[in-house]
Amino acid sequence: MPTLHWIGKEKVMNHHRDVPFRVLEHEYGFTNGHIGSTETDSGNKIIHGDNLEALKALLPEYEGKVKCIYIDPPYNTGKDEWKYSDKVDHPQIKKWLDQVVGKEGEDLSRHDKWLCMMYPRLVLLKRMLMPEGVIFISIDNNEVFNLKLILDEIFGPMNFIGNIIWETATDNNPTQISTEHEYVLCYAANNSLQGHWYAKSLAAESIQSKYEELKKKFTNDIDSIQKDLRKWIKANKDLLPQVTHYDNVDKKGVFHDADVANTKFGGYNYEVIHPVTGMPCKIPEKGFRFPETTMKELIENDDIMFGSDETTLIKPKKRLDTVKDRLRSVIYEDGRASTKELEQMFHKDFFKNPKSETIVRRLLSFCTSDSDIVLDSFAGSGTTAHAVLNLNKQDSGNRKFILIEMEDYAETTTAERVKRVVTGYNHTEGADGAFDYYSLGEPLFIGANNECLNSALGKEKVRQYVWYSETRTVFPTDTEAYTEQYFLGKKEETAYYFIYETDSLTTLDFEMLSTIKVKAGQYVIYADNCLLPTDFMLKKNIVFKKIPRDITRF
């Protein structure tokens, strides 16, 4: 497999392992239009801080749990026109490059810097995805080919789903090629599960739901159902991409008149009698696309659409309940519309070229449903959260979003936009929702070589980390897990104990062992010291781990 090499690659390939683990500090919760000091338990998070460290902080709770990731990283155009610097010389990134790559960083080209920045972040993002998960990455010509190669390396070329062309407004360039598109690269966590990572057409479900509502209202009045359905589709066309033409109704449900093009040159030639005039219907120039027996079955099942008389070509009815959603490889959205929406929301021009909420919502609708988690680690103005909230409003879903933004506008723009989407803005009705806002707190390990636990964090944060490092699962919150002071939990017949105090040393001896009541096949016990004989621990299936030496760093 072709691989990409650049200055500094060997320094960043495993850098994610050296990133300090920081805890998340809760700043406030937002629910029902109000800010409070307690967490909302909504599952929605906005995190202010470096996205590499924030992703590391999220691992204990979210590794392998995210269904869809959408990111819009810096395009590395060499310009500095956006609030989010589009050059890779942001002070935090530059500081990170100096620390990680060292003096080599002084000689890095623009593309080398960008690759050094992206690689460890993509490694951690992959760890976040569930087996059926998928990642979408917006990019343009500056880095699309480099990005494709490192994604092949990290995710595997067999997990490449496709490259979407995002057609945008024309970039008038009189002397060169006018750039009118960007890209969205799409990879699955495991392409062998491809049939599981996309959802049923939400637009089709929305129309079907409206049809059922109108059917109850008008009983068998097909004309009234069709009239109101068309009116509703027209009013909600922005929420119903790809299937807005499903507005015909008969006694069997919703349909549209399907394409009548022949599937092969030279179709079938026979008579089809018009049900009203009793005359043979007009035959297509190349004949009918179906054999006569199939046509008879379609007519009997009311799956053929006749015109007002025999002079109109008949057409098959394509039923809404058979619609198969598909994500087109070319999509269009004028980016100026997204900029205008933000201007109207905030009543000022301050954020250039935000991503289209409509397009992001379309991507999410294709691969998420129910209570899936959506992550965006380059959150920018908060488009992804906007799309999640609107999608939940559209299909009554309960998707969760996690946004990470390192810039200072994480609060004033990213979080503020989400607040306005929830409460409503201009003449747009608010969407139900809540979120919690976090900043990055202290590191868990301190010292020149991260050899010491940071006692200032308290015991609970350390306990959560140790449990995750042992089990790769979320720390249990059930009350049974806390019946013993130092008990962490039990998993697969192994009981875990963390005998730790922030202000004194602890010792695993026979007296301490006598306090352990949980029955298990094996015991993993952390303490500062151990006085139990080795042969005794072997006999009792006790594994001692010294604090902090034996705490796994990940």
Side-chain angles (χ1 to χ4, degrees):
M1 180 186 77
T3 56
L4 183 66
H5 296 277
W6 66 89
I7 299 173
K9 180 178 182 179
E10 65 281 1
K11 302 287 181 65
V12 299
M13 286 184 67
N14 294 307
H15 174 63
H16 61 283
R17 297 174 182 170
D18 301 323
V19 175
F21 178 85
R22 297 182 182 275
V23 298
L24 295 179
E25 294 290 347
H26 186 254
E27 300 291 336
Y28 65 83
F30 180 83
T31 185
N32 296 323
H34 301 287
I35 291 177
S37 59
T38 59
E39 290 188 279
T40 66
D41 294 325
S42 65
N44 296 322
K45 292 179 169 63
I46 300 177
I47 303 167
H48 180 210
D50 177 79
N51 52 14
L52 191 60
E53 293 183 342
L55 288 171
K56 192 74 171 277
L58 288 169
L59 279 175
E61 186 174 358
Y62 291 100
E63 182 171 15
K65 301 290 181 61
V66 174
K67 183 64 176 296
C68 180
I69 296 171
Y70 172 79
I71 59 172
D72 180 28
Y75 282 8
N76 203 16
T77 62
K79 301 177 182 178
D80 195 12
E81 299 175 349
W82 293 6
K83 272 270 195 176
Y84 193 106
S85 175
D86 206 23
K87 293 193 299 183
V88 189
D89 60 359
H90 186 282
Q92 286 182 261
I93 297 296
K94 190 173 182 180
K95 179 181 178 183
W96 173 76
L97 285 169
D98 290 342
Q99 293 174 341
V100 175
V101 184
K103 289 187 177 181
E104 281 184 16
E106 299 173 5
D107 301 321
L108 295 182
S109 73
R110 179 162 59 92
H111 300 289
D112 294 312
K113 288 181 180 179
W114 189 87
L115 288 163
C116 284
M117 184 272 292
M118 288 296 294
Y119 195 94
R121 287 161 173 80
L122 290 170
V123 170
L124 289 182
L125 285 170
K126 182 187 178 185
R127 289 179 62 177
M128 293 294 182
L129 283 177
M130 60 195 302
E132 301 85 4
V134 61
I135 182 171
F136 296 99
I137 306 177
S138 286
I139 202 68
D140 73 357
N141 280 323
N142 285 279
E143 298 292 355
V144 64
F145 305 108
N146 289 332
L147 179 61
K148 175 68 170 63
L149 285 173
I150 62 173
L151 286 171
D152 280 348
E153 185 173 329
I154 295 169
F155 284 82
M158 74 292 295
N159 290 318
F160 175 60
I161 298 298
N163 185 9
I164 299 169
I165 308 300
W166 187 324
E167 187 181 355
T168 58
T170 302
D171 175 19
N172 295 318
N173 190 328
T175 59
Q176 299 179 16
I177 297 174
S178 178
T179 302
E180 300 180 8
H181 68 277
E182 299 174 5
Y183 304 93
V184 182
L185 293 178
C186 179
Y187 279 74
N190 186 342
N191 204 12
S192 66
L193 300 175
Q194 182 179 356
H196 301 283
W197 65 259
Y198 61 86
K200 188 181 185 293
S201 170
L202 297 177
E205 288 184 339
S206 297
I207 296 176
Q208 184 67 31
S209 176
K210 185 63 179 179
Y211 163 73
E212 296 295 338
E213 175 188 328
L214 293 173
K215 189 169 69 170
K216 291 179 181 178
K217 179 180 179 180
F218 294 110
T219 317
N220 294 320
D221 186 352
I222 300 298
D223 290 339
S224 294
I225 294 173
Q226 179 166 289
K227 180 180 178 182
D228 276 29
L229 184 65
R230 284 181 172 174
K231 187 185 300 183
W232 181 82
I233 289 175
K234 184 178 181 180
N236 293 275
K237 59 183 179 181
D238 61 321
L239 300 177
L240 306 169
Q242 308 301 325
V243 296
T244 56
H245 53 298
Y246 281 80
D247 54 7
N248 288 316
V249 175
D250 63 18
K251 61 185 180 182
K252 290 180 63 177
V254 185
F255 69 93
H256 82 90
D257 47 325
D259 183 8
V260 296
N262 285 293
T263 56
K264 62 180 180 178
F265 181 80
Y268 300 94
N269 196 333
Y270 49 80
E271 285 189 349
V272 174
I273 304 301
H274 193 278
V276 176
T277 67
M279 300 295 292
C281 292
K282 182 179 179 180
I283 300 177
E285 182 180 349
K286 297 179 181 179
F288 294 113
R289 63 187 301 183
F290 306 113
E292 189 171 7
T293 53
T294 303
M295 181 65 76
K296 288 180 178 179
E297 291 177 2
L298 291 171
I299 293 172
E300 289 174 1
N301 291 328
D302 196 18
D303 285 328
I304 291 295
M305 183 176 182
F306 290 89
S308 57
D309 59 35
E310 70 278 359
T311 61
T312 303
L313 286 174
I314 65 173
K315 298 178 181 181
K317 295 178 180 178
K318 187 174 181 181
R319 296 289 174 184
L320 184 65
D321 56 12
T322 63
V323 170
K324 300 296 183 184
D325 201 8
R326 57 177 178 164
L327 192 55
R328 298 179 183 274
S329 63
V330 179
I331 53 180
Y332 176 79
E333 176 74 13
D334 187 342
R336 291 171 295 191
S338 302
T339 302
K340 185 177 180 180
E341 181 177 29
L342 274 192
E343 290 175 1
Q344 293 173 342
M345 184 183 294
F346 287 91
H347 305 292
K348 61 180 179 178
D349 177 8
F350 70 107
F351 202 98
K352 297 295 185 183
N353 301 317
K355 279 296 174 284
S356 162
E357 181 275 326
T358 304
I359 297 299
V360 174
R361 175 155 39 99
R362 170 65 178 152
L363 298 177
L364 299 182
S365 73
F366 189 74
C367 61
T368 67
S369 60
D370 302 325
S371 300
D372 286 337
I373 299 170
V374 177
L375 169 65
D376 184 349
S377 57
F378 291 87
S381 68
T383 300
T384 299
H386 193 165
V388 168
L389 291 170
N390 274 353
L391 191 54
N392 284 341
K393 183 179 179 181
Q394 177 182 332
D395 70 349
S396 301
N398 191 31
R399 298 168 187 80
K400 315 296 184 183
F401 63 79
I402 303 171
L403 305 187
I404 304 171
E405 179 51 57
M406 62 188 261
E407 294 281 4
D408 292 338
Y409 59 72
E411 163 62 16
T412 58
T413 299
T414 313
E416 183 61 29
R417 178 180 183 178
V418 179
K419 292 175 187 175
R420 298 187 186 198
V421 172
V422 169
T423 58
Y425 59 94
N426 298 341
H427 300 293
T428 302
E429 181 184 353
D432 290 334
F435 70 87
D436 289 283
Y437 187 86
Y438 300 85
S439 60
L440 285 175
E442 294 287 323
L444 188 67
F445 298 99
I446 56 177
N449 298 305
N450 293 325
E451 70 276 11
C452 301
L453 280 173
N454 187 350
S455 59
L457 293 176
K459 291 188 288 186
E460 199 60 22
K461 295 291 186 182
V462 182
R463 285 165 57 85
Q464 293 173 11
Y465 177 92
V466 171
W467 171 263
Y468 169 75
S469 69
E470 288 285 351
T471 67
R472 289 299 190 270
T473 59
V474 179
F475 188 63
T477 57
D478 57 290
T479 55
E480 184 180 346
Y482 297 93
T483 54
E484 295 182 34
Q485 182 180 3
Y486 300 117
F487 180 53
L488 292 180
K490 183 178 177 182
K491 181 175 173 58
E492 297 175 356
E493 290 306 310
T494 298
Y496 297 90
Y497 283 82
F498 190 66
I499 306 172
Y500 171 70
E501 299 292 343
T502 58
D503 54 358
S504 62
L505 294 177
T506 60
T507 300
L508 175 61
D509 52 18
F510 284 108
E511 182 180 357
M512 179 63 72
L513 192 63
S514 67
T515 66
I516 294 177
K517 306 299 182 183
V518 173
K519 301 295 182 181
Q522 178 179 255
Y523 297 86
V524 174
I525 305 176
Y526 286 82
D528 293 300
N529 300 296
C530 179
L531 298 179
L532 297 178
T534 302
D535 56 346
F536 174 81
M537 289 194 294
L538 287 172
K539 184 178 180 180
K540 299 296 184 179
N541 293 325
I542 298 172
V543 177
F544 168 71
K545 294 193 175 183
K546 185 174 177 61
I547 301 174
R549 181 194 68 194
D550 296 329
I551 299 177
T552 301
R553 274 68 162 174
F554 63 88

